[in-house]
Amino acid sequence: MSAAGRNPCDGFDQDVRVLLRVRPGLSLDAVDTGSTPGFTGDKRSGTALRAARDAELSALQRQIYANATVGARHRLLLVLQGMDTSGKGGVIQHVLGGLSPHGVHTHGFGRPTEEEAAQHFLQRVRRQLPRPGVIGAFDRSHYEDVLVPVVRDVLDDRHLERRYTEIRHFEQELSDDGVVLVKVFLHLGLDEQRENLLSRIGDRTKQWKFDPADLEARSRWDTYMAAYERAIDATDADHAPWYVVPTDRKWYARAVVQELLISALRDLRLDWPEPGYDVEDARRRLAEL
């Protein structure tokens, strides 16, 4: 079916979990950041697809929340990493914005405070983990602690490998406790970032979001990409998979993340919990009141 004739509810042509899951020997330079793997439609149809599936994600969220009320430990954690202007906040806003706020917990990790810097690097992350039944989303995460220090050359290989090991053990611990991990690297192109930053500077309502430090990070782009490749390769696992999502077209990235979350929640094969009371008795008593 042509892009013009497709039903926006048809979804992706291929399983994005297979298309975008990282493989050993990841080369970010080989990824076309302007591509839309698995989706042949345009922005209009991609945005329509995401809107059409909001209700499905909302129902799955209510289901995982309901199961937690009877003791289930399931919860989901979306980890978003990417260079500045890659759209991490937009993904959270557009993909999770329609869900019940009672079942969502989001947190953005910036530069550690003096108190946080004195603690183990995972301590501040543990404090923000979603409780059972909740969908959590991190705008940046514990991966900042194996990226920024590497780029700034303040962490040697021995300590870096130790942190990779700690992250692997941490994520295995989360998985064993019922956390479904979905880790996404929003892969933005260098030229696209320039346009995004120029747009930000040129918009009076967005100038506050610009940080001159973004230019320093941009000047070290290749070093950041190498650090991401190494971190992703070292910490990808079936219980904590990494997906590299081209994000020059933000509508595509948002639709992909929604698809990843829906697929992950579906895989839990949850049903609605049985009520802890006699339904017929409750119906009869209500009729009498």
Side-chain angles (χ1 to χ4, degrees), residues 34 36 44 46 81 116 148 179 184 227 285:
T36 59
R44 182 176 180 180
Q81 289 288 155
E116 290 171 339
V148 176
V179 178
V184 175
R285 294 173 63 187

Side-chain angles (χ1 to χ4, degrees), residues 18 51 64 73 178 180 223:
V18 175
I64 194 174
R73 298 288 298 170
V180 178
T223 308

Side-chain angles (χ1 to χ4, degrees), residues 152-289:
R152 296 180 178 173
D153 198 23
V154 295
L155 195 66
D156 62 33
D157 280 352
R158 183 170 63 89
H159 287 93
L160 178 60
E161 291 298 331
R162 179 185 298 172
R163 286 195 177 183
Y164 288 153
T165 299
E166 290 177 310
I167 287 175
R168 288 193 293 266
H169 289 167
F170 171 61
E171 293 179 346
Q172 182 67 66
E173 172 194 330
L174 295 182
S175 178
D176 292 343
D177 194 37
V179 178
V180 178
L181 280 155
V182 177
K183 301 184 296 188
V184 175
F185 175 60
L186 296 171
H187 193 13
L188 182 70
L190 183 62
D191 291 340
E192 185 68 17
Q193 193 204 46
R194 178 187 292 110
E195 294 305 313
N196 291 343
L197 290 173
L198 287 172
S199 176
R200 182 173 290 181
I201 294 173
D203 185 338
R204 183 70 179 83
T205 68
K206 295 182 179 180
Q207 289 173 348
W208 62 272
K209 297 176 68 176
F210 180 78
D211 185 343
D214 295 345
L215 300 180
E216 179 187 356
R218 182 175 169 81
S219 71
R220 301 183 181 186
W221 188 275
D222 290 343
T223 308
Y224 265 105
M225 291 302 104
Y228 267 114
E229 287 173 353
R230 186 171 177 180
I232 290 171
D233 189 60
T235 59
D236 177 66
D238 288 342
H239 63 271
W242 269 109
Y243 301 95
V244 174
V245 180
T247 192
D248 285 4
R249 304 186 188 192
K250 288 185 170 57
W251 58 266
Y252 169 77
R254 293 164 185 170
V256 166
V257 172
Q258 183 192 58
E259 170 69 17
L260 293 174
L261 298 186
I262 287 174
S263 296
L265 291 170
R266 277 180 174 175
D267 285 348
L268 291 175
R269 300 184 182 280
L270 297 177
D271 199 352
W272 296 103
E274 292 295 330
Y277 56 88
D278 187 316
V279 175
E280 291 305 319
D281 180 62
R283 181 180 289 113
R284 177 184 57 76
R285 294 173 63 187
L286 279 170
E288 294 173 352
L289 294 175

